Each structure stands twice: as structure tokens, then as C-alpha cells.
Amino acid sequence: MEGLTKNQEGTDLSANTILELLANRRRRYLLYALRGHEDPIELSRIAEQVAGWEHDCPPEDVAKKQYKSVYVSSVQCHVPKLDDAGVVDHDESNHTVVLGDNFEQLEPYLRLVVKDEPENSTLNAALQSEPGDGLITQIRENVAKLKH
């Protein structure tokens, strides 16, 4: 199986790479949190949001231990993997992330897997309230069109 290699930015992502990146829920949550942001965001802010979604509560209610788990795994594993694929750009000097050029290749698949996220959750509510009628609403409308 083809693994991720450093500096895949600007290249076509293989199906194996796309599936590997989306296989982990925490990586998907990181990508959901970055969608719609054009400027780099501190990884600590993203980790707070992801921890809130994982524990289905507002970010300010997340326990320190839960936040730390998300932050450490993001820094050590998930963000480097996404960065290597060119899906995010990670500035290690100031711990900020922003979506990279290759995110566009991954986004259609991210739109498919979002259907498996819990329906009555803070994540679902956040995705519903996104600009442009929300990601989940768009998916449901597209599925309804396909059925007719």
C-alpha cells in the first residue's frame, strides 16, 4: 500500500492516501474545524473545538485532560500526517494550521463521511450552521435529488 510521503502538496492524492487520512475521526474533526477559515488558526483553538465535538459539549466545558489528549495527538500524529499530504499547512514555529492546496481533493470525500457523524451532537449543529446552509444540509439535499 502506498503510504504518505513528505511534500505531496500540489500532487494528486491517491485513493489509499485519501482513505488513510479520513479513516481517523479526530483527523476528520480537525478538517471540519478548519473548513471556512482562510487565515492560519492556532492549533490550541482547533484542539479545543475538536475536544468539544468528541465529548459533545461546548469547548469551554472540556476537561483539561480531554483537551490535552486532542492537542498532543494532533501535534504528534494527525497534523503532521495531514501536512505531509499537503491537506493542511502547519507552521511548527507558532503552532498554527490552515487548509492546504490538496484539501480540495479530499473535500468531496469528507462530505460523504460526514453523514456518519452523530445526528444529535454539537458537531452536527456546528456543521448545520456553516455558511451556505451547512454541510450536512447540502449533503441531505444532494442525496434527496439523487433519489428522485
Side-chain angles (χ1 to χ4, degrees):
M1 179 167 93
E2 176 186 331
L4 295 174
T5 58
K6 186 72 176 154
N7 297 327
Q8 285 190 4
E9 186 172 329
T11 62
D12 288 338
L13 297 176
S14 70
N16 286 338
T17 299
I18 290 169
L19 293 171
E20 182 180 348
L21 293 173
L22 294 178
N24 183 277
R25 178 171 277 166
R26 191 166 281 170
R27 273 196 295 276
R28 293 192 307 269
Y29 284 14
L30 287 166
L31 293 171
Y32 296 147
L34 288 169
R35 288 181 76 250
H37 295 280
E38 294 182 16
D39 296 323
I41 303 170
E42 290 181 14
L43 189 52
S44 60
R45 285 188 50 214
I46 297 297
E48 288 173 352
Q49 182 64 63
V50 170
W53 287 338
E54 285 185 0
H55 297 282
D56 201 25
C57 65
E60 58 272 8
D61 293 345
V62 172
K64 186 173 182 173
K65 182 178 178 180
Q66 295 165 336
Y67 160 77
K68 188 174 180 180
S69 171
V70 172
Y71 184 82
V72 170
S73 72
S74 296
V75 168
Q76 293 179 349
C77 176
H78 303 302
V79 170
K81 192 171 279 222
L82 292 167
D83 188 38
D84 287 348
V87 174
V88 302
D89 292 323
H90 178 217
D91 185 338
E92 293 180 40
S93 64
N94 64 8
H95 297 290
T96 60
V97 289
V98 66
L99 291 175
D101 292 337
N102 285 351
F103 176 73
E104 290 178 7
Q105 295 177 54
L106 194 71
E107 187 173 25
Y109 304 99
L110 188 64
R111 288 177 176 272
L112 289 174
V113 297
V114 75
K115 294 184 291 184
D116 290 334
E117 303 300 350
E119 286 191 29
N120 297 320
S121 66
T122 55
L123 169 64
N124 193 289
L127 294 176
Q128 290 281 2
S129 66
E130 285 185 346
D133 294 328
L135 180 61
I136 292 178
T137 301
Q138 291 172 14
I139 290 169
R140 286 192 178 125
E141 288 172 0
N142 289 339
V143 168
K145 288 177 188 175
L146 291 173
K147 289 181 178 179
H148 295 341

